[in-house]
Amino acid sequence: MCFSDFSSCNLIGLSSSIAISISNNLSADEISILSIFLNSLADNLGIIATKKSIEESNKNYSL
């Protein structure tokens, strides 16, 4: 599965479906902790992606 092949609507639907499915078996506190953890994960992935993009841009300029 390649997420870049999905439309924005499909990604929203997939995300919503997964969230609903996961939350069915968790308490409110567990859902809150998981939400905070996943937000942190997403932030860190964003930092990594930005850093890689900058490094790739710098490689292209030095060629």
Side-chain angles (χ1 to χ4, degrees):
M1 174 191 316
C2 185
F3 288 110
S4 61
D5 293 337
F6 284 83
S7 71
S8 57
C9 291
N10 286 338
L11 287 171
I12 292 168
L14 177 62
S15 175
S16 298
S17 298
I18 291 171
I20 291 166
S21 178
I22 290 171
S23 68
N24 283 333
N25 298 316
L26 299 176
S27 69
D29 286 342
E30 291 170 326
I31 294 168
S32 179
I33 291 168
L34 181 60
S35 172
I36 293 166
F37 171 79
L38 292 175
N39 280 323
S40 174
L41 176 68
D43 288 343
N44 284 299
L45 287 171
I47 291 168
I48 292 167
T50 300
K51 183 66 176 160
K52 283 186 174 190
S53 178
I54 291 168
E55 289 170 355
E56 289 171 3
S57 293
N58 288 339
K59 284 181 187 176
N60 291 335
Y61 285 126
S62 63
L63 295 177

